[in-house]
């Protein structure tokens, strides 16, 4: 008859939470500037999407239309570089805007493989309507912040964007 070998089982200890390792700079993640900036980004992006939904646009689509309004014709690759995404990812957004006749793409006379993107009249009208929606949201979000404090915040954000992409006009 075979006998079962018994394994020694260590007594079970109550689980204690592990001590958090000190973080560089000593600040917990929840108070780090980049953590807070990231949380603010996602919260604002969600609010912008919500505000723009009656117009059938997302925040990303709105920002592309805004970018096109103030600049000469750009390519999809130019826009992708501006937003630090792959051109293939940007193409999906560009196709959606083109299907809605908010933008048009025309071959660049210097390089026929490059398509230059411009706002259509419909895109310009949609952008104008959405600007009012986003302006109202911005006024609501920053209602409790003094004008001089908000201007300092804008300057700081522009400096940060320029530091991240010094070769481009990221502040625009």
């Amino acid at each position: 008859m075979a006998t079962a070998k018994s394994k020694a089982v260590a007594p079970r200890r109550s689980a204690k939470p592990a001590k958090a390792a000190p973080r560089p700079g000593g600040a917990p993640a929840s108070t780090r500037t980049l953590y807070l900036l990231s949380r603010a980004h996602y919260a604002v992006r969600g609010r912008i999407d919500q505000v723009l939904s009656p117009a059938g646009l997302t925040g990303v689509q709105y920002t592309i239309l805004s970018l096109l309004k103030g600049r000469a014709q750009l390519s999809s690759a130019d826009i992708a570089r501006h937003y630090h995404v792959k051109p293939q990812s940007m193409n999906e957004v560009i196709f959606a805007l083109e299907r809605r006749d908010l933008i048009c793409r025309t071959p660049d006379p210097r390089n026929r493989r490059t398509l230059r993107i411009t706002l259509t009249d419909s895109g310009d009208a949609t952008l104008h309507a959405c600007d009012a929606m986003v302006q109202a949201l911005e006024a609501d979000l920053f209602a409790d912040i003094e004008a001089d404090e908000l201007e300092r915040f804008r300057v700081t954000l522009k400096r940060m964007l320029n530091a991240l992409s010094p070769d481009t006009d990221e502040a625009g």
Side-chain angles (χ1 to χ4, degrees):
M1 175 170 183
T3 60
K5 289 186 180 179
S6 61
K7 291 185 178 179
V9 176
R12 196 170 209 154
R13 292 186 225 163
S14 63
K16 291 182 183 177
K19 285 187 177 181
R23 294 187 177 275
S30 62
T31 60
R32 283 217 171 121
T33 305
L34 289 179
Y35 173 82
L36 295 171
L37 186 61
S38 180
R39 281 195 57 207
H41 163 78
Y42 286 111
V44 168
R45 186 172 174 175
R47 291 286 300 276
I48 290 173
D49 284 347
Q50 184 179 34
V51 164
L52 294 175
S53 70
L57 283 185
T58 66
V60 171
Q61 291 170 328
Y62 168 76
T63 57
I64 291 170
L65 295 180
S66 297
L67 177 67
L68 291 169
K69 176 70 174 179
R71 294 192 168 63
Q73 297 178 352
L74 298 173
S75 70
S76 183
D78 294 332
I79 298 169
R81 276 190 294 279
H82 187 84
Y83 290 107
H84 305 279
V85 298
K86 292 184 180 328
Q88 297 82 352
S89 300
M90 186 54 64
N91 280 336
E92 294 175 26
V93 179
I94 297 300
F95 290 147
L97 293 170
E98 189 176 36
R99 277 192 302 275
R100 292 194 49 203
D101 192 37
L102 300 176
I103 61 168
C104 67
R105 298 187 300 162
T106 55
D108 184 328
R110 295 176 305 251
N111 180 352
R112 305 295 269 166
R113 293 183 313 162
T114 301
L115 298 174
R116 295 290 169 191
I117 303 169
T118 55
L119 282 178
T120 62
D121 290 342
S122 177
D124 193 46
T126 299
L127 177 60
H128 182 72
C130 290
D131 279 341
M133 295 174 191
V134 171
Q135 180 61 39
L137 172 61
E138 187 169 323
D140 182 49
L141 290 176
F142 297 114
D144 294 334
I145 298 176
E146 297 294 326
D148 62 330
E149 186 179 1
L150 186 56
E151 183 56 28
R152 284 194 310 273
F153 182 58
R154 282 189 191 108
V155 168
T156 300
L157 288 173
K158 287 178 180 181
R159 286 177 55 205
M160 182 180 170
L161 288 169
N162 285 328
L164 289 168
S165 298
D167 297 334
T168 62
D169 177 23
E170 280 294 318

